Amino acid sequence: MESEQDVQKALEKHRMYMGQRYVEVYEINNEDVDALMKSLQVKSSPAVNDGVVRLRGLPYSCNEKDIVDFFAGLNIVDITFVMDYRGRRKTGEAYVQFEEPEMANQALLKHREEIGNRYIEIFPSRRNEVRTHVGSHKGKKMTSPTAKYITEPEMVFEEHEVNEDIRPMTAFESEKEIELPKEMSEKLPEAVDFGTPSSLHFVHMRGLPFQANAQDIINFFAPLKPVRITMEYSSNGKATGEADVHFDTHEDAVAAMLKDRSHVHHRYIELFLNSCPKGK
């Protein structure tokens, strides 16, 4: 903006709508701008385009064949799935290494196209982002030579440490699990893993306001009662706007899907069913 007055006018647009989505507007200082511009210059440099892209929003059932088919016509030499820090399930993210940098540029054109019924976000990345992750958290290699799993760092954040700030572009997500007692008290339990096996009946939420907490999710699904809520945070403790909500039965999970596109704090929420009738 040209002046401080213009900045203040721009901030008045906070939470106003562009099309059907409301837009959040924040002020950042000159130091933040300088750091961002340097980062963009590095990312745009041809020298660091080594043919890697990062995918976000993949279905949990997605495998390497699905990704190869998605990028049909582009030669893939390596696929790395990012697992949660327990190594038990996929996070919906993956790194894809292409044979040529130009192929990675072509891959970016498929941003927001769909695999299954989920749109996929595609971002430029670099080999060292994958190597750094794998170096500190080695994952299980698949039988295919072009695909492997890597695990995420274990990081748990208290809610008061998370503020509504600009979310960084980061692939390394962490999770906070909240076990909900059958008799839910007014005070929510702390973010700890009680060691119970993961429910087979859960709904993935996308688009939560960054300030949303577990109680907001409980209210959203009422009168249904979740048995566990897993909220995702980036590596520096900021909310990603995504969560998994577990239910006792498949029927409850299906009923929860009726809330798809309903609102939490004026934001509509996308829901994705991860449950089957046979799961007990």
Side-chain angles (χ1 to χ4, degrees):
M1 298 295 171
E2 187 175 38
S3 67
E4 177 63 27
Q5 184 179 9
D6 288 342
V7 171
Q8 295 307 314
K9 287 182 179 178
L11 291 173
E12 292 174 4
K13 295 282 189 178
H14 184 57
R15 292 184 177 271
M16 294 186 70
Y17 280 77
M18 181 184 295
Q20 295 181 329
R21 295 297 301 266
Y22 76 83
V23 179
E24 298 174 318
V25 183
Y26 302 94
E27 182 178 3
I28 60 174
N29 58 39
N30 290 335
E31 289 78 8
D32 292 331
V33 174
D34 291 341
L36 178 60
M37 293 305 294
K38 288 179 182 178
S39 173
L40 291 174
Q41 288 170 4
V42 169
K43 289 180 180 178
S44 63
S45 170
V48 299
N49 183 353
D50 46 15
V52 178
V53 300
R54 177 170 64 88
L55 310 183
R56 185 170 69 189
L58 294 167
Y60 294 133
S61 60
C62 181
N63 57 35
E64 62 271 21
K65 183 180 183 303
D66 295 325
I67 293 177
V68 171
D69 291 344
F70 182 69
F71 289 117
L74 303 177
N75 297 332
I76 296 174
V77 297
D78 191 66
I79 299 171
T80 301
F81 289 99
V82 181
M83 305 294 287
D84 65 10
Y85 57 79
R86 300 172 193 82
R88 290 206 300 243
R89 71 175 179 86
K90 297 174 183 176
T91 64
E93 296 199 2
Y95 292 92
V96 180
Q97 169 76 61
F98 291 93
E99 194 173 82
E100 301 289 342
E102 180 55 35
M103 292 182 180
N105 291 335
Q106 293 178 41
L108 294 173
L109 299 177
K110 294 181 74 68
H111 182 62
R112 290 189 174 267
E113 291 188 18
E114 294 186 350
I115 292 180
N117 62 345
R118 298 195 64 171
Y119 72 83
I120 309 302
E121 296 175 284
I122 307 174
F123 306 98
S125 187
R126 296 162 65 180
R127 286 179 188 172
N128 62 357
E129 289 186 16
V130 185
R131 282 199 300 267
T132 300
H133 210 0
V134 174
S136 56
H137 298 275
K138 294 181 180 179
K140 300 174 290 184
K141 285 194 174 182
M142 299 177 63
T143 54
S144 167
T146 62
K148 56 183 175 293
Y149 290 131
I150 56 177
T151 57
E152 294 182 330
E154 181 172 5
M155 302 179 74
V156 179
F157 299 92
E158 299 295 338
E159 285 182 9
H160 64 78
E161 293 176 332
V162 181
N163 54 35
E164 187 178 358
D165 204 346
I166 300 171
R167 192 202 167 200
M169 288 289 190
T170 174
F172 313 141
E173 308 296 333
S174 301
E175 297 178 340
K176 179 174 67 174
E177 289 198 354
I178 300 175
E179 293 286 349
L180 302 178
K182 291 183 179 179
E183 296 295 332
M184 278 183 279
S185 61
E186 291 185 0
K187 182 180 178 182
L188 290 173
E190 293 183 2
V192 293
D193 185 355
F194 288 87
T196 55
S198 295
S199 164
L200 296 177
H201 314 293
F202 69 94
V203 172
H204 184 75
M205 305 181 74
R206 179 193 290 171
L208 286 165
F210 295 148
Q211 74 272 25
N213 56 32
Q215 187 62 60
D216 293 321
I217 293 175
I218 292 169
N219 295 341
F220 179 76
F221 286 111
L224 297 172
K225 294 184 178 181
V227 295
R228 176 191 297 174
I229 295 172
T230 303
M231 302 185 71
E232 296 183 358
Y233 295 86
S234 64
S235 58
N236 64 356
K238 291 184 172 56
T240 67
E242 301 199 20
D244 287 334
V245 182
H246 300 253
F247 296 92
D248 263 334
T249 67
H250 173 69
E251 290 72 22
D252 280 355
V254 171
M257 289 298 298
L258 296 176
K259 302 287 287 185
D260 186 38
R261 301 273 172 171
S262 296
H263 289 72
V264 173
H265 296 177
H266 308 295
R267 293 200 66 169
Y268 77 82
I269 307 301
E270 295 178 279
L271 300 180
F272 304 91
L273 182 65
N274 288 273
S275 176
C276 60
K278 295 180 181 179
K280 301 295 182 182

